[in-house]
Amino acid sequence: MIQLGLIGKGIQRTQVHQLHQALGELCGITVNYQLLDADQEPHLSLEQRVQRAISEGYRGVNVTHPFKAEVSAMVKQHGAVPETLGSYNTLIFTDGNIRGENTDYSGFKAGFQRTFDTLKPGAVLLLGSGGVGRSIAFALGELSARQIFLYDTRPEAAHVLAGVLQAAGYPCVTVTEDTLTEVAAQVDGIVNATPIGMYQYPGIPLAKTAIQAPRWGFDAIYTPMNTEFMIAMDACGAQTMSGYELFLNQGVDAFEHFTGISLNRDAAIQFYLQKRSMSC
């Protein structure tokens, strides 16, 4: 048996424990995956939560909102991610060492290719420069996005990330609130990498009138899947990729990192979806 977990806040609606347990079943492994919800012990820091998991024999943990920005300080060994990405959502514990992986980065790339096949990202408006936004930005760069337009309600954070992306060789410029609507009307794709749209943060990160004719759209949120943003993207005829696709692909990647087992991605995802449909 292996012990895994998710550290985050307000995570009781997630399916991640079910996904990892199903993947374990597929591989003949018993997986005990716990939801380590910060709402239940709000006084604990991320470091305290991670150290507790290590002391209790966890093989590793996933980390989600609002702790992603703190993870990099804890990583002692960098995994299969671009060194300049500097963001991690998956921690693997071995012999007192903490290895960091970023399955938002790898999962987005895999999900984009599974969903859109040969479609190229083109020019993309990326809303949000936090942990998941940073991961998606690097993935878009590796998918040969022609230009990344980066917007954040915290302009300084957007400027910092844009500088990192430019240094890595990826075309990126920041967008101001004054030019946001104009840029949104011109790009090929729009990505929501903000928390807006989650159950805890209802709403839409961009005015619906600004979403006119993009070819594709993606929302990192998957609970709920039918966010206002996704509804608006569907209404304008864009091809869409939901956060659920990212959830599935990053979960497969995380399981491989935790266990060292290589999975057939399509077969693993189909196995989980079949199990879930049977339990509904």
Side-chain angles (χ1 to χ4, degrees), residues 25-84:
E25 181 181 336
L26 179 65
C27 298
I29 300 171
T30 300
V31 175
N32 185 359
Y33 194 108
Q34 297 295 314
L35 302 182
L36 309 174
D37 198 328
D39 281 343
Q40 297 173 357
E41 294 180 293
H43 61 285
L44 294 179
S45 68
L46 173 64
E47 183 173 2
Q48 288 172 317
R49 297 174 198 280
V50 169
Q51 291 302 326
R52 176 189 284 181
I54 292 173
S55 68
E56 292 179 353
Y58 280 62
R59 177 76 60 84
V61 295
N62 295 121
V63 181
T64 189
H65 180 79
F67 296 111
K68 285 185 177 180
E70 305 173 45
V71 174
S72 59
M74 304 192 66
V75 171
K76 298 178 181 178
Q77 178 185 350
H78 308 289
V81 295
E83 187 173 346
T84 51

Side-chain angles (χ1 to χ4, degrees), residues 105 108 112 120-129 132-152 158-159 161-176 180 183-184 187-193 216:
Y105 158 77
F108 179 84
F112 188 95
K120 297 296 183 183
V124 184
L125 172 60
L126 174 57
L127 306 169
S129 59
V132 70
R134 187 185 189 98
S135 305
I136 291 170
F138 269 80
L140 287 168
E142 292 217 349
L143 288 165
S144 301
R146 186 171 72 252
Q147 181 67 276
I148 300 170
F149 294 94
L150 184 59
Y151 174 76
D152 198 295
H159 283 294
L161 178 54
V164 172
L165 291 166
Q166 291 162 1
Y170 302 136
C172 180
V173 295
T174 58
V175 177
T176 65
L180 181 59
V183 171
V187 293
D188 300 292
I190 304 177
V191 171
N192 176 31
W216 66 273

